[in-house]
Amino acid sequence: MKYNLIRTIIEKRKRGITCGIPSFCTANPIVIEACLQQGVRFNDCVLIEATANQVNQFGGYTGMRPADFRDMVYGLADKVGFPKSSVILGGDHLGPLTWHKENADSAMEKAEALVREFVAAGYKKIHLDTSMRLGDDSREVPLSLTTIARRGAQLYRACEEEYQKLLEKNPSEMRPVYVIGSEVPIPGGEQSETDAISVTRVEDLKATLDTYQREFAAVGMPEAMENVVGIVVQPGVEFGDENIAQYNREATAELCEAVRQYSGLVMEGHSTDYQPMFQLREMVDDGIAILKVGPALTYALREGLFALSMIEAELLPEEKQSRFKTVLDEVMQEDDQYWVNYYRGSPQALHLKRQYSLSDRCRNYMQDARVQAAMEKLFDNIDSVRIPNGLLRQYMPKEFFKVRENQMKCDARELVKSHIIDVVEEYNYATKCNYIINSNNYHSLT
């Protein structure tokens, strides 16, 4: 049986080597291409995750089932020359969330089908999340940890049954690894401000692990904890429309020390977007070895596209421009389902949030046919003209330096991907040994 690449991180940490892995949680092809393109620079694995609301057996909001998403990622890997064997596919928040309004029997039946399809499609990191109330759960009392763990164990058993089917076809098939727990907001981000975030309590961590161990045994799989490599915790980091709650390692010291007592287990931190890279490094040092990032990547995509739009406005007559910013906002106003429950304020405030919120609800609209057409026209327009150096420096200063130093071509797509790679590099610095970063040039030491 092949060795799951995530387990190598666990083994290195046991030997005292500080390391981790970024989890790039996105379904955007340009973002994924940028992550893989940067992965070509070093001999390492790249973890790409899809959430259950993005990708599921009914297509999710991307229209992709797990096998479709896999094929898209593998196709992009081939495009940039990144080995598919070094791609780790993950499923994030896999459970009944998408069907939480249905009664437990129905929601869990769909959740079982969901996890089976992810495992059958070759996903090797599975986050089991059963922390949400379902339609017939009491609204008067919090959902019990026993119920959460029992449902999680039910989904784990379904995953392992599906894995056994894969083994029958291929005896060397790699076993998935699992992450449990959900001390975080629901997928998609925080709906309130970030002022009252509490770090996971040690007693809650221990209770979660003990309860899962008991419920795994109850379904006849007492060895299951050997395949659980991570637990999701709340390390006190979060972001909202404008606010960022930054990591404070003193506040997590007790929690981090408690996790060190569990051999083979690391913490997974969600919503690490927009953290300073030195604090991301502190998180990894402290045992939060899996760093989930999503909106910061698509925010960088949007930021790059807007910068190109500003350059376009300077170089082309209005009638030839792509109107990318306008088209995106028009589409978002026509269909508000992905932002109306998150953004509040006056019409002017909503306009600004639709375009610039750190929550980046724009990401849900990037695959819209009209937005795609405007984006392609923007790329074509930029590539049809020469960008004066002063104009490039004005709107894309980092890319100006990279172009000047012949580190990249002045190509529209490459300029945008460079914006995304800047975020990727911060996570590389945080998780990889001997990785040096500065404002313009990146170096990996061997």
Side-chain angles (χ1 to χ4, degrees):
M1 178 170 45
K2 296 179 181 178
Y3 199 63
N4 195 304
L5 293 171
I6 293 180
R7 289 192 182 275
T8 63
I9 295 170
I10 307 294
E11 296 304 316
K12 287 180 180 179
R13 295 188 69 91
K14 286 181 180 178
R15 300 198 302 270
I17 301 173
T18 299
C19 62
I21 188 169
S23 171
F24 302 121
C25 194
T26 179
N28 186 281
I30 296 180
V31 172
I32 294 172
E33 182 177 332
C35 294
L36 295 172
Q37 184 173 312
Q38 192 62 2
V40 173
R41 293 186 63 249
F42 46 84
N43 184 22
D44 205 348
C45 53
V46 174
L47 172 58
I48 306 290
E49 296 209 43
T51 63
N53 53 2
Q54 290 172 327
V55 175
N56 58 48
Q57 67 268 42
F58 303 110
Y61 71 71
T62 65
M64 287 186 285
R65 297 175 67 164
D68 300 323
F69 183 80
R70 174 202 63 202
D71 292 345
M72 179 190 71
V73 173
Y74 283 173
L76 292 169
D78 287 339
K79 178 181 177 181
V80 302
F82 188 78
K84 291 193 285 290
S85 60
S86 295
V87 175
I88 305 172
L89 292 174
D92 188 34
H93 290 286
L94 300 189
L97 175 65
T98 306
W99 309 284
H100 70 277
K101 293 182 180 180
E102 300 181 20
N103 289 342
D105 288 346
S106 173
M108 287 301 296
E109 181 180 0
K110 290 183 173 69
E112 273 203 37
L114 171 74
V115 299
R116 287 181 183 277
E117 196 160 319
F118 268 84
V119 173
Y123 290 66
K124 298 305 180 186
K125 178 183 175 292
I126 304 295
H127 172 212
L128 300 175
D129 183 6
T130 53
S131 61
M132 65 292 303
R133 287 191 181 95
L134 302 181
D136 50 354
D137 289 327
S138 171
R139 274 6 188 208
E140 306 302 320
V141 295
L143 194 63
S144 74
L145 184 51
T146 297
T147 298
I148 293 171
R150 181 178 299 127
R151 290 170 179 171
Q154 177 183 340
L155 296 184
Y156 174 85
R157 182 174 60 186
C159 290
E160 285 294 294
E161 289 173 354
E162 207 62 38
Y163 170 63
Q164 293 302 317
K165 295 178 184 178
L166 292 177
L167 277 180
E168 292 174 5
K169 300 176 183 177
N170 177 18
S172 64
E173 183 72 34
M174 184 191 302
R175 179 187 291 278
V177 294
Y178 299 87
V179 173
I180 60 174
S182 186
E183 283 277 324
V184 292
I186 62 173
E190 181 62 76
Q191 295 190 47
S192 60
E193 293 302 325
T194 58
D195 300 332
I197 298 171
S198 299
V199 173
T200 299
R201 301 185 304 169
V202 170
E203 53 265 41
D204 292 337
L205 171 88
K206 293 180 176 179
T208 296
L209 294 171
D210 290 345
T211 306
Y212 264 92
Q213 179 64 71
R214 184 175 66 248
E215 293 304 322
F216 282 145
V219 296
M221 305 187 102
E223 76 293 341
M225 284 303 294
E226 297 176 8
N227 297 319
V228 174
V229 299
I231 180 167
V232 175
V233 298
Q234 175 51 274
V237 303
E238 188 50 78
F239 61 92
D241 285 339
E242 299 181 11
N243 298 331
I244 302 169
Q246 294 187 17
Y247 182 62
N248 178 358
R249 69 189 324 178
E250 293 181 2
T252 65
E254 186 179 2
L255 171 66
C256 295
E257 180 58 33
V259 174
R260 292 189 189 100
Q261 310 310 309
Y262 295 89
S263 178
L265 189 72
V266 297
M267 292 173 282
E268 176 170 293
H270 289 216
S271 299
T272 69
D273 309 66
Y274 311 109
Q275 292 292 311
M277 64 182 180
F278 298 108
Q279 287 173 294
L280 290 173
R281 184 63 174 262
E282 287 182 351
M283 292 173 71
V284 175
D285 289 346
D286 294 343
I288 308 165
I290 304 174
L291 301 179
K292 192 78 61 112
V293 56
L297 294 165
T298 48
Y299 184 97
L301 167 67
R302 195 274 314 152
E303 189 177 39
L305 291 168
F306 277 21
L308 288 187
S309 296
M310 300 299 286
I311 294 172
E312 178 190 43
E314 296 284 358
L315 297 179
L316 283 92
E318 185 174 354
E319 64 272 14
K320 292 186 177 180
Q321 293 173 20
S322 64
R323 299 179 61 253
F324 176 80
K325 290 180 65 177
T326 301
V327 171
L328 176 61
D329 196 50
E330 288 173 350
V331 170
M332 292 183 72
Q333 290 187 76
E334 288 177 15
D335 179 8
D336 64 5
Q337 63 174 312
Y338 298 117
W339 61 267
V340 69
N341 292 326
Y342 298 89
Y343 296 162
R344 297 285 186 272
S346 66
Q348 181 185 18
L350 291 176
H351 171 74
L352 291 174
K353 289 181 179 184
R354 285 194 301 272
Q355 297 192 70
Y356 304 111
S357 168
L358 296 177
S359 298
D360 190 49
R361 296 290 148 188
C362 297
R363 69 184 185 273
N364 299 95
Y365 299 87
M366 286 296 182
Q367 297 309 112
D368 179 273
R370 289 165 292 177
V371 176
Q372 281 285 302
M375 182 173 64
E376 292 299 328
K377 185 174 182 180
L378 174 62
F379 288 157
D380 289 342
N381 281 347
I382 293 297
D383 288 338
S384 71
V385 296
R386 176 190 171 276
I387 306 175
N389 283 332
L391 189 58
L392 182 62
R393 177 162 179 164
Q394 175 68 40
Y395 291 110
M396 306 185 88
K398 288 185 178 181
E399 285 65 40
F400 164 77
F401 289 115
K402 293 178 185 179
V403 171
R404 187 189 66 182
E405 301 301 325
N406 295 317
Q407 295 179 19
M408 64 175 293
K409 295 180 180 179
C410 192
D411 169 88
R413 287 179 184 274
E414 295 305 313
L415 291 169
V416 169
K417 284 190 288 183
S418 175
H419 248 59
I420 300 163
I421 286 171
D422 285 342
V423 179
V424 174
E425 284 292 83
E426 293 181 349
Y427 282 83
N428 286 341
Y429 168 80
T431 57
K432 302 181 194 304
C433 298
N434 299 323
Y435 207 88
I436 296 175
I437 184 172
N438 63 38
S439 60
N440 300 318
N441 301 288
Y442 309 104
H443 308 280
S444 182
L445 298 185
T446 57

